[in-house]
Amino acid sequence: LWYARLKDLGPNFGFHINADKSYILVKSEFENRAKTLFEDTGINITSEGARHLGAALGSDTFVQSYVQDQVNKLTDMVSNLPDIASNHPHLAFSNFTSSLSLSGAICSEPSQTLHHCSKV
């Protein structure tokens, strides 16, 4: 199995597997087989999806849910700005610029996520 070889040889090259943070994304028809193959590794097996470097990868439902959650967080952040600005204008401006960078990050990568951004 490639995983056992990677686990054995990886540390020689400075690569250490962190199973808790590792995901294998498989088609739903292969999920049970993958869970059997990797049951003693601690690696997360899913057919729904996972986040990778802030982007959602996986099923349309998973990606849509992730994008919607991120948009809701951004909406909450921006809707509080007028209240903050009345007493702390610099803080409000800082939060506004942070929210702009977050909005760009939500729909920047990969192209699968971009498809869902147009629906939100």
Side-chain angles (χ1 to χ4, degrees):
L1 189 62
W2 61 265
Y3 176 77
R5 189 159 167 86
L6 182 62
K7 189 173 181 179
D8 291 339
L9 296 176
N12 296 333
F13 301 96
F15 181 79
H16 302 276
I17 297 172
N18 185 345
D20 292 336
K21 292 183 177 182
S22 299
Y23 283 83
I24 296 178
L25 182 60
V26 296
K27 291 184 178 183
S28 58
E29 61 263 24
F30 300 116
E31 188 170 8
N32 289 334
R33 176 82 172 128
K35 285 182 178 180
T36 301
L37 286 171
F38 291 93
E39 68 184 339
D40 295 329
T41 65
I43 291 180
N44 300 291
I45 310 292
T46 181
S47 61
E48 287 301 309
R51 286 182 33 239
H52 177 67
L53 300 176
L57 302 173
S59 68
D60 286 344
T61 303
F62 179 84
V63 174
Q64 180 68 31
S65 174
Y66 174 79
V67 170
Q68 188 63 56
D69 288 346
Q70 294 302 309
V71 168
N72 290 343
K73 288 178 188 176
L74 180 62
T75 302
D76 290 344
M77 187 185 304
V78 172
S79 67
N80 291 325
L81 289 178
D83 296 333
I84 297 170
S86 62
N87 295 321
H88 307 284
H90 182 72
L91 180 61
F93 179 74
S94 176
N95 285 343
F96 175 70
T97 56
S98 295
S99 65
L100 287 178
S101 66
L102 177 61
S103 68
I106 292 171
C107 294
S108 61
E109 291 287 333
S111 60
Q112 182 184 22
T113 305
L114 286 173
H115 168 72
H116 292 282
C117 287
S118 63
K119 295 180 180 180
V120 177

